[in-house]
Amino acid sequence: MNIEKTINSLKANNFTVHHVTNCKEAHDIFFNTILPGLNVKSFSIGDSMTMRATGVIEELEKHTDIEFVRSFGEGWSFEKKYEQRRKALLTDLFITGTNAVTEDGLLVNLDMYGNRINGINFGPLNVVLFIGTNKITTNLDEAMKRVREVAAPKNVARHSGFNTPCAKTGSCMNCSSSQRICNEWSIIEKCFPAHRIQIILIDQELGL
């Protein structure tokens, strides 16, 4: 894992990168440096354990002048979740993590609905990604392998109610289950418009 190479590659690919050592620094740079530079009236999130470890969402919820467009909730119907996730694509700010990032500066993600990857790719005016250095891989093949063999099975395991093969085996079985979470890939080679996506790279093993 070459952190310096990854940072330089991401910058060359038009991402803004903030390199920090821990979650507190990630939290502080978000509120002291990133947020003041944006005109944010609304925000939404794609679920991310790394993002949640920083405490930024709880703090943002205290900003009553910024609307939180929630995209999931306990007991929500499929229809309500779907509609809210559509609304999230029109927010000023989208906050989430990534499944993998390569040393040559590619962002690699795999989704069930596509709402998280589409929030990153297009729609929200600004995107902030919280990424632990454990997400760094040497190349695209290793990134996709990481997503299938590590991130996806562990994500299924941390949510109740899934009866997919990987929930039982802990390994990707390339299934055809109606509950399959591995439906839509996203590979971002360059950030366009330039610097729309800001990355906070945290020198810790975080998330899945």
Side-chain angles (χ1 to χ4, degrees), residues 102 139-146:
T102 68
N139 54 47
L140 179 59
D141 286 343
E142 288 300 311
M144 297 180 81
K145 180 179 179 181
R146 183 191 188 283

Side-chain angles (χ1 to χ4, degrees), residues 136-171:
I136 297 174
T137 64
T138 54
N139 54 47
L140 179 59
D141 286 343
E142 288 300 311
M144 297 180 81
K145 180 179 179 181
R146 183 191 188 283
V147 176
R148 280 202 180 280
E149 296 184 3
V150 178
K154 287 185 176 181
N155 264 311
V156 164
R158 75 185 182 97
H159 290 100
S160 62
F162 280 92
N163 193 34
T164 58
C166 67
K168 301 172 184 176
T169 66
S171 300

Side-chain angles (χ1 to χ4, degrees), residues 32-85:
N32 297 334
T33 302
I34 297 174
L35 191 62
L38 306 176
N39 182 24
V40 174
K41 301 298 182 186
S42 61
F43 81 98
S44 191
I45 65 173
D47 199 19
S48 162
M49 293 178 69
T50 306
M51 169 197 71
R52 291 191 179 281
T54 67
V56 295
I57 302 308
E58 292 85 351
E59 188 71 24
L60 261 180
E61 287 187 88
K62 298 176 184 176
H63 290 240
T64 56
D65 56 324
I66 303 177
E67 179 190 4
F68 183 9
V69 179
R70 299 178 185 275
S71 52
F72 43 85
E74 189 69 32
W76 282 15
S77 67
F78 171 83
E79 290 76 16
K80 181 171 182 178
K81 286 188 288 188
Y82 199 87
E83 184 60 25
Q84 286 297 109
R85 289 170 188 184

Side-chain angles (χ1 to χ4, degrees), residues 102-120:
T102 68
E103 289 182 359
D104 53 351
L106 308 184
L107 297 181
V108 183
N109 286 283
L110 182 60
D111 254 11
M112 182 178 190
Y113 286 88
N115 61 295
R116 181 176 61 96
I117 61 175
N118 283 305
I120 298 171

Side-chain angles (χ1 to χ4, degrees), residues 6-43:
T6 304
I7 292 171
N8 290 335
S9 297
L10 287 166
K11 289 180 177 179
N13 288 344
N14 300 324
F15 299 95
T16 296
V17 183
H18 309 269
H19 186 207
V20 300
T21 60
N22 55 53
C23 286
K24 183 183 185 305
E25 288 184 9
H27 173 281
D28 292 347
I29 205 165
F30 175 81
F31 284 103
N32 297 334
T33 302
I34 297 174
L35 191 62
L38 306 176
N39 182 24
V40 174
K41 301 298 182 186
S42 61
F43 81 98

